[in-house]
Amino acid sequence: VGGSGNVILHSVEGDVTLASAKGHIEVNTVDGSIELRDCSGDIRSETVDGDITMLGIVSGDVDANTVDGGIEYDGTIQDGGQYRLSTHSGDVTMSIPENANATITVSTFSGSLDAGFPLTITGTTPPRHRFTFTLGTGTRGARVELESFDGSLRLRRPAAVHQDEHQ
């Protein structure tokens, strides 16, 4: 709990949990899950075999990657920010505030895109597995990349992410 500046946590076998940290945050494990709560700053999180859960995050730069697990992000989507959430085998769930201004690229090979709110995709019919759309104006907005080879991509409003946990 806590920490500021450069906060770095590594584990080979075991879960890693961090709460209320600020600064440049780097968390990784080989065999275990990662949970970040109420953290702010640049965030890098990576695991090979486990889920990544990020709740109450305030950041303009998030990079989360797992090979075998799901990713959940509930936090800010800042103008000019970059958010990359990628898994090979698992679902990606991201909360998107109603006032978000972002260009979102989604990519999945055998999963689907499930949005808890209407999306407008303009132009030609997107490829089945990869496409980009804009929320808000997109101008100077965040760049969001969501990717899962073998899982679904879910976009929710912030309150809906927590409601899903209780159903």
Side-chain angles (χ1 to χ4, degrees), residues 12-63:
V12 173
E13 186 171 335
D15 297 341
V16 179
T17 302
L18 178 63
S20 304
K22 299 176 184 177
H24 175 79
I25 298 169
E26 182 179 314
V27 180
N28 63 53
T29 181
V30 176
D31 187 9
S33 293
I34 294 172
E35 181 177 335
L36 303 173
R37 288 189 177 272
D38 304 318
C39 293
S40 62
D42 297 344
I43 296 175
R44 305 283 173 271
S45 57
E46 183 175 13
T47 182
V48 175
D49 187 9
D51 295 330
I52 298 174
T53 304
M54 298 174 283
L55 304 174
I57 303 300
V58 177
S59 180
D61 189 4
V62 174
D63 192 347

Side-chain angles (χ1 to χ4, degrees), residues 16-138:
V16 179
T17 302
L18 178 63
S20 304
K22 299 176 184 177
H24 175 79
I25 298 169
E26 182 179 314
V27 180
N28 63 53
T29 181
V30 176
D31 187 9
S33 293
I34 294 172
E35 181 177 335
L36 303 173
R37 288 189 177 272
D38 304 318
C39 293
S40 62
D42 297 344
I43 296 175
R44 305 283 173 271
S45 57
E46 183 175 13
T47 182
V48 175
D49 187 9
D51 295 330
I52 298 174
T53 304
M54 298 174 283
L55 304 174
I57 303 300
V58 177
S59 180
D61 189 4
V62 174
D63 192 347
N65 187 343
T66 181
V67 176
D68 188 12
I71 300 174
E72 178 182 358
Y73 178 86
D74 185 1
T76 60
I77 306 293
Q78 297 177 359
D79 281 356
Q82 293 191 9
Y83 304 85
R84 294 164 303 282
L85 311 179
S86 176
T87 179
H88 181 79
S89 181
D91 296 337
V92 176
T93 302
M94 183 174 210
S95 66
I96 306 284
E98 286 189 44
N99 61 350
N101 185 33
T103 299
I104 301 174
T105 300
V106 296
S107 178
T108 182
F109 182 75
S110 64
S112 62
L113 173 63
D114 176 22
F117 50 89
L119 297 178
T120 302
I121 300 172
T122 58
T124 60
T125 303
R128 180 170 184 259
H129 303 294
R130 181 178 176 83
F131 55 94
T132 300
F133 57 92
T134 301
L135 297 176
T137 65

